[in-house]
Amino acid sequence: MPVPLFDLKDQNREIDAELKAAFERVLYSGQYIMGPEIEALEGELASFIGARFALGVSSGTDAILLALMSLGIGPGDEVICPTFTFFATAGCVARTGARPVFADSAPHAFNVDPADIERRITARTKAIIPVHLFGEMADMAAILEIAARRNIPVIEDAAQALGATVPEFSGSAGALGQFGAFSFFPTKNLGCLGDGGLLTTSDEQLAARARILRVHGMEPKYFHSHVGGNFRLDPLQAAFLRVKLSRYDEYTRKRRENAAYYLEKLGQLPGVYLSANDAPGEDAVILPAARVEKGPIWNQFTLRVRGKAGTADRRDALRAFLSERGIGSEIYYPMPLHTQECFASAGQVNEDFRNANALAREVLSIPIYPELSGEQKSEVVGAIAEFLGA
Ligand SMILES: *Cc1c(COP(=O)(O)O)cnc(C)c1O
């Protein structure tokens, strides 16, 4: 039985009638830009996340860009973000004319190292963008403390982490910094049928600024105090998202069940380690450090597959082995951003980001989507066991 990395059709088939009703509601409303669907979704998501304000926007990328623009960030400024993340985190910084300053991942984790963020702060640092990678929150207590001491705003890239929590905070991912940026790209945990995103903040002034910049910096109509963009979310996508949001807790519960299953079954295999702390430097498969009860929402379930030091051979061999058996997997992400051609001028290409470079050689994400069947999960575990000779 094939096990794709995700199956977007499956989820939509289950709620087919509700999605069609949402489509008809928008079709016959005559309101195709902004309006009540957007406002309803914004209200529902603001309370779900625990932020005062939420703005529907055109994508997760545009949410980050709009946050940076609302903070007035531009040429001459520096913004610190992880090097091990999706491109958009840093791409948006460069688009404002500011310089992305990359920080390493924390040892034994996927997320950014707060100590490395602190080392890279200068007088030009105008924001910090931690990313909650794979649905697990970055070390926000440490990052917020560092940022507060220097009075630097924090933009949480929560594109992969809607509803993720940690015990220290009452709000969820995206409610803790000055801004939270979310994506509704179809493979995110809450995905629309196209592109979409959300920007959250609990600061009234920042919310007002972002609201104006979302529509060309226009207020009132045809008067422009600032240069903004068209960063609007479509009401049709908002209507679809509201259908899925009503089932979101169930989707998360299923992802957590899948993660618990993998942690238990894979954890019993020889050569598999529960933590990078006790894994050898070579020939080890390491399970994610996130644990089910801690509040991650498992956008990805990501293994670290270690072979011979400094190579990706064993990870790539496992990926090919799974692929031959019809099991999907993906490498998020094969190249840290400091090594990307377009960021060569940022001047960090020769720096030694030890943890991020190791992650890029070792990571492999396996299917975790809510609709996975028991049979499919056991097939994934069986294939990995076979690869390990168990
Ligand atoms: C998906 C993603 C984005 C961008 O979201 P889009 O909606 O695709 O523009 C930004 N950052 C991270 C970490 C992401 O995973």
Side-chain angles (χ1 to χ4, degrees):
M1 167 189 295
V3 190
L5 184 61
F6 41 78
D7 186 339
L8 301 170
K9 290 193 304 298
D10 262 16
Q11 187 171 89
N12 293 334
R13 203 174 294 119
E14 280 174 20
I15 49 174
D16 154 279
E18 286 169 77
L19 290 173
K20 284 177 179 161
F23 170 74
E24 292 204 353
R25 195 167 71 228
V26 174
L27 177 66
Y28 297 118
S29 75
Q31 175 106 34
Y32 307 128
I33 298 289
M34 301 304 280
E37 290 291 343
I38 298 289
E39 282 163 30
L41 177 75
E42 289 175 344
E44 288 159 16
L45 279 168
S47 70
F48 180 76
I49 292 160
R52 277 182 71 197
F53 306 100
L55 281 75
V57 295
S58 29
S59 68
T61 303
D62 286 343
I64 301 168
L65 183 61
L66 184 54
L68 292 162
M69 290 171 73
S70 302
L71 291 167
I73 287 164
D77 296 337
E78 295 176 356
V79 175
I80 302 175
C81 68
T83 185
F84 188 72
T85 177
F86 178 59
F87 175 80
T89 317
C92 293
V93 174
R95 284 173 64 191
T96 66
R99 184 164 83 90
V101 174
F102 297 110
D104 202 0
S105 311
H108 311 317
F110 299 120
N111 281 320
V112 68
D113 183 1
D116 200 41
I117 289 179
E118 182 153 34
R119 271 193 289 279
R120 295 175 189 279
I121 292 175
T122 71
R124 289 180 297 281
T125 306
K126 292 292 152 57
I128 298 168
I129 314 184
V131 181
H132 307 308
L133 219 49
F134 308 148
E136 184 196 5
M137 275 173 74
D139 184 352
M140 287 304 289
I143 293 165
L144 291 173
E145 190 273 323
I146 292 164
R149 229 180 322 117
R150 318 260 191 153
N151 209 15
I152 301 170
V154 171
I155 302 166
E156 297 175 72
D157 181 340
Q160 302 181 7
L162 177 70
T165 57
V166 280
E168 299 101 288
F169 297 102
S170 58
S172 63
L176 310 176
Q178 271 63 41
F179 279 114
F182 296 84
S183 166
F184 305 128
F185 186 82
T187 60
K188 303 293 158 78
N189 287 28
L190 181 68
C192 55
L193 311 186
D195 276 307
L198 190 84
L199 184 65
T200 53
T201 182
S202 291
D203 182 308
E204 196 159 4
Q205 261 180 323
L206 289 178
R209 210 171 300 157
R211 217 176 277 288
I212 292 170
L213 290 172
R214 175 169 62 173
V215 285
H216 301 293
M218 178 164 75
E219 174 67 24
K221 206 169 186 185
Y222 306 130
F223 289 81
H224 302 260
S225 52
H226 292 85
V227 177
N230 171 0
F231 299 128
R232 294 180 297 250
L233 176 68
D234 292 340
L236 184 59
Q237 298 298 348
F240 293 147
L241 286 165
R242 292 179 66 204
V243 173
K244 294 198 173 193
L245 183 59
S246 70
R247 311 238 172 161
Y248 191 72
D249 290 342
E250 187 190 325
Y251 296 148
T252 300
R253 185 179 55 71
K254 288 183 178 166
R255 283 177 184 269
R256 285 179 174 155
E257 271 173 26
N258 295 344
Y261 178 88
Y262 283 146
L263 288 169
E264 194 212 324
K265 300 289 180 197
L266 294 174
Q268 292 166 7
L269 300 176
V272 174
Y273 296 82
L274 290 173
S275 145
N277 281 315
D278 27 78
E282 298 197 349
D283 289 336
V285 171
I286 302 160
L287 295 174
R291 286 298 172 258
V292 172
E293 68 276 16
K294 268 180 62 186
I297 52 127
W298 300 100
N299 179 242
Q300 301 296 342
F301 189 95
T302 304
L303 304 169
R304 296 183 67 162
V305 186
R306 256 182 208 163
K308 199 162 137 341
T311 76
D313 297 357
R314 192 151 179 259
R315 186 266 313 271
D316 295 345
L318 174 57
R319 183 159 197 235
F321 188 88
L322 293 176
S323 167
E324 278 165 26
R325 281 152 188 77
I327 298 171
S329 67
E330 188 53 272
I331 299 165
Y332 304 109
Y333 300 93
M335 228 176 133
L337 297 184
H338 71 278
T339 63
Q340 298 286 352
E341 188 180 348
C342 67
F343 293 134
S345 63
Q348 290 181 276
V349 69
N350 292 318
E351 274 183 47
D352 183 23
F353 291 89
R354 290 192 62 214
N355 301 323
N357 288 340
L359 285 170
R361 289 191 297 267
E362 296 176 3
V363 287
L364 189 67
S365 300
I366 59 176
I368 185 78
Y369 63 94
E371 295 76 22
L372 270 184
S373 70
E375 207 179 327
Q376 287 176 310
K377 280 184 277 190
S378 101
E379 196 135 323
V380 174
V381 172
I384 294 173
E386 197 184 331
F387 179 81
L388 294 171

